[in-house]
Amino acid sequence: QELEAAFPELKTPDSPTQRVSSDLTEDFPTVEHLTPMLSLDNSYNEADLVDFDQRIRNYLDLPEDYIIEYCVEPKYDGGSIGLIYENDLFVRGATRGDGYRGEEITPNLRTLHSIPLRAAFSRRGIAKVEIRGEAIMRKDIFEKINKAREEDGLPLFANPRNAATGGLRTKDPNETAERKLDAIIYHIGYAVDQQGNNLLPKLGTHSAAIDFLNELGFIVPIHNENFPERTIFHNINDIVDHCQEWQDHRDDYPYEIDGMVIKVNDIALQNRLGSTAHHPRWAIAFKFKAKQATTKLIKVEFQVGKTGVITPVAKLEPVQLAGVTISSVSLHNEDFIRNKDIRLGDTVLVERAGDVIPYIVKPM
């Protein structure tokens, strides 16, 4: 900083001093994505995945013996982001928003050291590119931050996802930096040369595109034998066992994930399949089952909201569920309690719906 202050001509857009801005952001302007950041269709079992495979074959009029190559990766549970690079420089970052427009949060994303301020896309002749990923907090970082907040008497974050998404929209980029977020990149949605020609087909496959991003210094789902975050399959039936294995060991993974994403690997086939207004036809999410645990209802406390609404809150014997200690769960209202016949001293079944919000399913 002292050197750049003395010699301003040495300051460059990718300088480490440009990561954290001293300016506060009063609002986040709405910007359009270069291509839509759509949602994913969901699947929950083998039959759903077989149906997905058949829909692809029907849409493309492929014979039954045609081998479709699929790429399978974790479905990260954080805040979706879109990053634009022009002439190798990071120029804009935005939230997913409604899929077509999001909020520009470039100053905050610059604080993430996993987002290179310069990346050599020009190696492949790419002049402008939009890549997609997830801003996400490691579980161990989440625990440390919550412990520090508890010691300071501050409200605790409910889960890593809330901590990450909230960190993306802080008015002070220094606060974003303190969250120690990672950006995991999993898709190239737009890539053109200086003349505006589409270069995505030249990347060949989705997996090859992700390998290229890895070469450029981005964190991506790694494809290797020792720990295959990204795995290639040639038979849709083999994918279910793989997804189940990830579901069984998800607590061992350093990040929160709520499923797996199955993508047609061939970019040419992706282009032929296209998208609906809601989701790409060439990808689907395999959603993990909600996690459940049993514990004892000790007492009920009542919280008064700002508008005067009184909400009963169940105080439980602390129980570990999906990597988080659950000790309080909303009982919503009197009807909820009566309909489920919840009583003091009950052993109750607790579920984290969507792995985020604790919920009492029923007394046991």
Side-chain angles (χ1 to χ4, degrees), residues 16-133:
T17 64
Q18 301 305 295
R19 282 214 173 264
V20 181
S21 170
S22 59
D23 298 329
L24 297 181
T25 302
E26 292 304 321
D27 57 8
F28 300 100
T30 299
V31 293
E32 287 196 22
H33 303 303
L34 299 182
T35 54
M37 295 178 66
L38 300 177
S39 299
L40 289 172
D41 197 10
N42 290 328
S43 65
Y44 300 91
N45 50 46
E46 183 174 6
D48 290 343
L49 291 183
V50 170
D51 184 60
F52 167 68
D53 179 78
Q54 192 59 54
R55 288 199 305 270
I56 289 173
R57 294 180 184 278
N58 292 343
Y59 192 89
L60 299 177
D61 195 23
L62 299 175
E64 289 299 321
D65 60 351
Y66 185 92
I67 296 175
I68 301 175
E69 190 171 79
Y70 291 105
C71 184
V72 183
E73 308 161 357
K75 185 176 181 296
Y76 300 101
D77 196 15
S80 297
I81 53 175
L83 313 177
I84 295 178
Y85 285 76
E86 286 190 59
N87 299 318
D88 292 347
L89 291 177
F90 174 47
V91 296
R92 196 189 83 184
T95 63
R96 177 181 174 272
D98 65 4
Y100 295 89
R101 290 167 295 277
E103 292 179 316
E104 184 183 352
I105 52 171
T106 308
N108 291 352
L109 289 175
R110 280 180 169 272
T111 69
L112 275 61
H113 289 271
S114 48
I115 296 179
L117 299 182
R118 180 186 292 272
F121 288 99
S122 55
R123 289 184 196 169
R124 300 287 186 93
I126 298 173
K128 188 173 184 177
V129 63
E130 185 175 45
I131 58 179
R132 312 288 171 66

Side-chain angles (χ1 to χ4, degrees), residues 217-232:
F218 294 95
I219 299 178
V220 302
I222 296 298
H223 176 53
N224 61 39
E225 294 182 0
N226 295 327
F227 189 73
E229 293 173 304
R230 173 165 40 101
T231 308
I232 305 299

